[in-house]
């Protein structure tokens, strides 16, 4: 697509997005709120060579195993060389709450790529309005994920929970031009491919352009 053939300076959510984008020549900035995620991402991106460590992530899982060997199946991490980002590419991570860090940013980014992110908001409408302001004219929001709404049902926490069709109405009223909208079924999340239990989401893909 034309919007992705340009050099992009973007704000990216989710660790793999901010890494793979600069590794292919795009400037990128990641954002994360969780200390656990920040500590892990700093270690993987700055301290670990490719396939340096072996872990058994399912060793404590005693259910839905077809074989004894499934529990002690090893994986190597990181699975890519995290030092492969070209020196000419600007790349960084910004720690903090999305609304506090980017609340006053206007017209700075070509792309906001949101993976399993929109539903982390207390107020998803606020997220969309912020993203629209952050983008340059002609910039794009690219979003993939479900609508889990992380604060749903938590006492004393604001949580606006609207279905996808209403979310799309909000996207258009804010001023976005929807270029692509489609179902992406069977997206795994923290999934063990050898398990007898499959955990996946029926996600939505959205590509929307700032007019």
């Amino acid at each position: 697509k034309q919007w992705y053939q340009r050099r992009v300076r973007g704000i990216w959510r989710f660790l793999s997005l901010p890494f793979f984008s600069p590794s292919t020549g795009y400037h990128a900035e990641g954002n994360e709120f969780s200390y656990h995620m920040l500590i892990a991402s700093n270690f993987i991106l700055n301290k670990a060579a490719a396939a340096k460590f072996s872990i058994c992530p399912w060793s404590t899982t005693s259910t839905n195993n077809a074989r004894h060997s499934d529990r002690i199946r090893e994986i190597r991490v990181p699975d890519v060389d995290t030092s492969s980002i070209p020196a000419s590419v600007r790349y960084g991570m910004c720690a903090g709450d999305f609304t506090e860090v980017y609340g006053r940013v206007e017209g700075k980014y070509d792309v906001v790529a949101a993976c399993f992110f929109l539903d982390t908001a207390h107020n998803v409408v606020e997220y969309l309005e912020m993203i629209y302001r952050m983008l340059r004219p002609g910039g794009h929001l690219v979003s993939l994920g479900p609508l889990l709404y992380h604060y749903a049902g938590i006492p004393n926490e604001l949580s606006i929970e609207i279905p996808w069709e209403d979310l799309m109405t909000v996207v258009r009223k804010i001023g976005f031009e929807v270029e692509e909208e489609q179902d992406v079924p069977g997206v795994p999340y923290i999934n063990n491919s050898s398990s007898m239990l499959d955990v996946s989401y029926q996600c939505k893909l959205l590509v929307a352009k700032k007019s």
Side-chain angles (χ1 to χ4, degrees):
K1 288 184 177 294
Q2 183 178 2
W3 56 264
Y4 199 69
Q5 291 169 351
R6 298 178 287 134
R7 289 187 64 79
V8 175
R9 186 163 191 267
I11 169 69
W12 309 83
R13 293 289 306 191
F14 216 64
L15 175 59
S16 60
L17 288 177
F19 169 71
F20 285 115
S21 301
S23 67
T24 54
Y26 296 94
H27 304 310
E29 179 178 308
N31 169 238
E32 181 54 62
F33 174 74
S34 165
Y35 283 115
H36 299 91
M37 293 285 192
L38 287 166
I39 292 170
S41 61
N42 176 66
F43 177 75
I44 290 175
L45 291 172
N46 298 313
K47 307 295 182 181
K52 185 175 182 179
F53 302 97
S54 294
I55 63 173
C56 301
W58 314 111
S59 60
T60 59
T61 303
S62 60
T63 58
N64 292 303
N65 292 305
R67 295 168 295 276
H68 287 290
S69 59
D70 291 342
R71 293 184 62 178
I72 56 174
R73 179 165 55 92
E74 292 187 355
I75 64 170
R76 302 283 288 179
V77 294
D79 59 351
V80 294
D81 182 3
T82 54
S83 65
S84 62
I85 298 174
S88 60
V89 171
R90 295 191 300 275
Y91 168 61
M93 292 288 291
C94 184
D97 179 86
F98 181 71
T99 58
E100 294 179 2
V101 173
Y102 299 100
R104 298 183 179 181
V105 175
E106 294 188 11
K108 184 177 181 180
Y109 299 103
D110 296 300
V111 173
V112 172
C115 183
F116 280 66
F117 171 63
L118 293 181
D119 61 351
T120 67
H122 287 280
N123 181 347
V124 67
V125 177
E126 180 185 21
Y127 266 21
L128 291 168
E129 290 174 336
M130 277 186 54
I131 291 170
Y132 189 85
R133 290 196 303 270
M134 292 165 60
L135 289 169
R136 295 170 177 164
H140 285 76
L141 163 63
V142 183
S143 174
L144 174 70
L147 291 179
L148 180 61
Y149 290 121
H150 291 208
Y151 295 98
I154 299 179
N156 304 316
E157 292 283 0
L158 171 67
S159 181
I160 295 179
E161 303 141 21
I162 57 177
W164 182 258
E165 61 180 354
D166 291 346
L167 192 69
M168 293 306 298
T169 298
V170 171
V171 166
R172 291 183 171 92
K173 285 187 176 295
I174 287 173
F176 282 106
E177 175 187 343
V178 176
E179 294 188 346
E180 186 174 347
E181 177 192 357
Q182 66 181 52
D183 296 327
V184 183
V187 177
Y189 189 83
I190 316 178
N191 196 47
N192 180 2
S193 60
S194 298
S195 175
M196 299 166 68
L197 173 67
D198 178 65
V199 179
S200 62
Y201 286 95
Q202 311 307 310
C203 291
K204 294 286 190 179
L205 172 67
L206 169 65
V207 179
K209 178 181 177 180
K210 180 175 180 177
S211 303

